Amino acid sequence: MSEQGNKAAVGFIGVGLMGHGMAKNLVEKGHPLTIIGNRNRAPVEDLVGRGAVEADSVADLTRRSEVIFLCLPGSPEVEHIVGEILQAGVSGKIIVDCSTSNPVSTRALAARVAEAGGEMADAPLSRTPKEACEGALDVMAGADEALFSRIEPLLSCFATKVLRVGELGAGHTMKLLNNFLSLGYGALYAETLAIGARNGIDAATVRDVISGGRMDCGFFQTFMRYVADGDKNAHRFALRNAHKDMRYVASLANESGIASHLSSAVKNGYATAEALGHGDDYLPEIAAIIGRLNGVE
């Protein structure tokens, strides 16, 4: 990988809630950055103001970039964009998928990229848009050791914890396991609160009892900031994305021959929320949805 002034030229596709902060840190740390616009112009204009260049197409971005980061909603979007990158020519370039994607799709895409002379790694994220902006994300990367050593400095621009968790696809697998745990907690909290509300225990009391104990955690606290305090921006992760991630988890369990009693149940809870029209609502609002379905607030 050639470099310009010791800084790799980076392309970034997907400058949304997480991607904007990640891209901001890359350009602020001296990497020539090319981005592509979307319907929300605010992050694009902010990044251009910081020195990024806005490409007029995926092909234009690909030509300008040595390493291309993707931070997209899921595998269908990643498959579409990687197809466009391949058409533009990926020889000698690296694609790093930071989306929460299906590892089966990731491995298939990587084979196509390798055939065309490029390389691909998966490097999904943990934490929130706040940490993305601060450059303090956690990254779980799937790549061989040689490729990981080349992309680690770039990942460290927006992350303070960068772990290689295995070969290609391992990052997306670990991310799904991480999200299964967190989304499982979300479903558990929602049902717990509904049972409590029906029996005279309000959300503030549940928080007071759990806080500081063995079952407390950062996820519990952000979840309860919405439920108990009404802060709708406490945990900005859309319920449609929760449903999507749990579909991937249940699919991975099925493909692995694992009996998926819990993952399927958690998936169905988020599927219900999206089917009721709450896909754009944020994750903690699952508590209000489950409460209403049970006739409690």
Side-chain angles (χ1 to χ4, degrees):
M1 179 173 63
S2 65
E3 296 192 348
Q4 302 172 4
N6 295 321
K7 296 289 185 179
V10 174
F12 206 107
I13 302 175
V15 291
L17 284 174
M18 295 291 279
H20 172 236
M22 297 159 66
K24 176 185 80 72
N25 280 286
L26 285 162
V27 73
E28 285 184 345
K29 291 173 184 174
H31 289 278
L33 180 68
T34 304
I35 59 174
I36 196 160
N38 56 22
R39 288 172 294 178
N40 182 4
R41 295 296 303 169
V44 175
E45 290 166 4
D46 176 75
L47 290 167
V48 169
R50 296 174 189 272
V53 173
E54 183 178 3
D56 58 20
S57 66
V58 172
D60 181 32
L61 180 142
T62 301
R63 285 191 293 270
R64 293 171 177 268
S65 306
E66 300 168 84
V67 182
I68 302 168
F69 281 90
L70 310 179
C71 192
L72 299 168
S75 287
E77 294 82 2
V78 172
E79 290 165 5
H80 175 76
I81 291 296
V82 170
E84 291 194 38
I85 293 170
L86 285 167
Q87 287 181 354
V90 76
S91 180
K93 300 180 187 292
I94 299 170
I95 299 172
V96 183
D97 183 14
C98 295
S99 319
T100 300
S101 299
N102 187 326
V104 176
S105 171
T106 301
R107 287 188 283 266
L109 286 175
R112 292 174 59 196
V113 170
E115 257 183 50
E119 296 178 274
M120 186 168 177
D122 50 316
L125 317 160
S126 183
R127 307 194 79 182
T128 73
K130 176 178 178 291
E131 285 81 27
C133 189
E134 295 169 351
L137 291 172
D138 297 342
V139 172
M140 51 210 89
D144 63 46
E145 291 184 0
L147 179 55
F148 178 72
S149 70
R150 295 163 70 194
I151 64 173
E152 185 179 13
L154 290 168
L155 298 172
S156 296
C157 288
F158 52 75
T160 51
K161 182 178 180 181
V162 180
L163 294 177
R164 176 181 175 268
V165 297
E167 298 296 320
L168 179 90
H172 283 146
T173 299
M174 187 64 238
K175 173 61 173 176
L176 291 180
L177 298 178
N178 178 83
N179 282 19
F180 179 25
L181 288 172
S182 62
L183 296 172
Y185 271 128
L188 182 62
Y189 297 157
E191 193 164 315
T192 296
L193 291 162
I195 296 169
R198 177 58 60 82
N199 290 278
I201 303 293
D202 64 18
T205 299
V206 172
R207 179 171 62 182
D208 289 345
V209 170
I210 299 300
S211 292
R214 293 181 66 186
M215 296 308 300
D216 193 7
C217 63
F219 184 88
F220 175 78
Q221 291 298 330
T222 57
F223 193 96
M224 296 305 290
R225 280 214 310 272
Y226 163 70
V227 177
D229 299 334
D231 180 359
K232 290 199 172 188
N233 291 312
H235 194 117
R236 295 192 297 167
F237 185 77
L239 285 168
R240 75 171 70 257
N241 287 333
H243 179 205
K244 178 264 296 182
D245 290 355
M246 287 309 308
R247 290 200 306 274
Y248 290 170
V249 171
S251 173
L252 186 61
N254 291 337
E255 289 166 357
S256 305
I258 301 296
S260 57
H261 303 294
L262 289 177
S263 58
S264 294
V266 173
K267 183 264 294 179
N268 288 340
Y270 292 107
T272 299
E274 185 170 10
L276 290 171
H278 295 283
D280 291 329
D281 293 345
Y282 291 146
L283 177 60
E285 297 189 52
I286 189 71
I289 295 164
I290 296 300
R292 286 193 295 271
L293 288 172
N294 284 284
V296 298
E297 291 295 329

